[in-house]
Amino acid sequence: MVSEHSDDPGGETAALALKILVAGGFGVGKTTLVGAVSEIRPLRTEELLSEAGQWVDDTDGVDQKVTTTVAMDFGRITIRSGLSLYLFGTPGQDRFWFLWDELSQGALGAVVLADTRRLEDCFPAVDYFEHRHIPFVVAVNCFPGARSYGAHDVSRALDLDQGTPVVLCDARDRDSGKEVLIRLVEYAGRMHTARLLDSVS
């Protein structure tokens, strides 16, 4: 979390920048979401899928995917005046998870993208954030042709902690992605406030 103070001589306004992770399984739409909502040209670290990786990258259900993120995606979006989000998209494959600990430092919370055709792919991300007590929301990326499930069904299938939000979205749509991020900021804010009050009491 980064606070940026305004040059306003009155000192009445301050800009707040919050760090958000976008995680999930391979090919679930993390790069697409960051690119759709970012108001700056997103930084991407994508490489072409190689023959060497075909034995470790499960492309079932994402047969058209030809690239993969090997470090991170980065974007920025202004939610309202004085509040910006820095978005860090994590790589989805197991062999890149050593990057997650570095990327999660100082994060307010995370979006875990899910694909109902490959729901099990987001279990590792859910476990990661639950064990580290990092607030997160599950955003179900509604792919064309995929069977639709309600938020309650997804929550039960993932065995989420009570109260963890599940939202349906289209990672290609800026407004849809922005709603997911707003929901996360609201939820993470409540969680951090509750923890602070618990520590004081």
Side-chain angles (χ1 to χ4, degrees):
M1 186 167 59
V2 180
S3 180
E4 300 173 342
H5 293 282
S6 170
D7 293 331
D8 178 8
E12 296 180 356
T13 61
L16 185 63
L18 304 174
K19 183 179 183 180
I20 302 294
L21 300 187
V22 180
F26 176 68
V28 77
K30 301 180 293 294
T31 298
T32 300
L33 176 65
V34 173
V37 301
S38 181
E39 62 199 15
I40 62 172
R41 183 177 181 179
L43 168 68
R44 294 181 172 140
T45 57
E46 288 195 307
E47 295 292 341
L48 291 173
L49 290 173
S50 65
E51 290 186 12
Q54 67 182 339
W55 306 109
V56 290
D57 294 331
D58 180 9
T59 57
D60 286 346
V62 286
D63 303 327
Q64 304 303 312
K65 186 171 177 60
V66 296
T67 61
T68 186
T69 298
V70 295
M72 68 174 186
D73 299 311
F74 175 77
R76 186 188 71 208
I77 178 174
T78 301
I79 297 296
R80 59 171 171 75
S81 178
L83 176 59
S84 298
L85 304 182
Y86 290 162
L87 309 176
F88 292 81
T90 65
Q93 302 97 311
D94 297 9
R95 65 185 186 279
F96 294 125
W97 280 1
F98 66 92
L99 294 168
W100 284 39
D101 288 337
E102 291 294 330
L103 291 174
S104 64
Q105 291 294 320
L108 175 77
V111 174
V112 175
L113 271 177
D115 178 353
T116 57
R117 302 168 302 177
R118 299 154 50 102
L119 198 58
E120 67 280 1
D121 288 0
C122 72
F123 274 116
V126 168
D127 288 343
Y128 181 91
F129 297 121
E130 282 184 346
H131 290 149
R132 287 161 180 78
H133 306 290
I134 297 174
F136 68 95
V137 301
V138 173
V140 180
N141 192 7
C142 300
F143 286 89
R147 182 178 173 184
S148 61
Y149 293 88
H152 178 72
D153 294 328
V154 173
S155 179
R156 186 170 54 184
L158 294 175
D159 193 26
L160 298 176
D161 290 341
Q162 186 174 4
T164 302
V166 176
V167 294
L168 307 182
C169 75
D170 182 343
R172 303 166 299 179
D173 183 76
R174 176 181 169 82
D175 290 338
S176 180
K178 186 175 180 180
E179 284 301 315
V180 170
L181 296 171
I182 291 172
R183 185 78 177 272
L184 170 62
V185 170
E186 292 173 345
Y187 174 65
R190 292 195 302 270
M191 293 293 289
H192 286 295
T193 299
R195 290 171 186 170
L196 179 61
L197 292 175
D198 284 344
S199 66
V200 171
S201 61

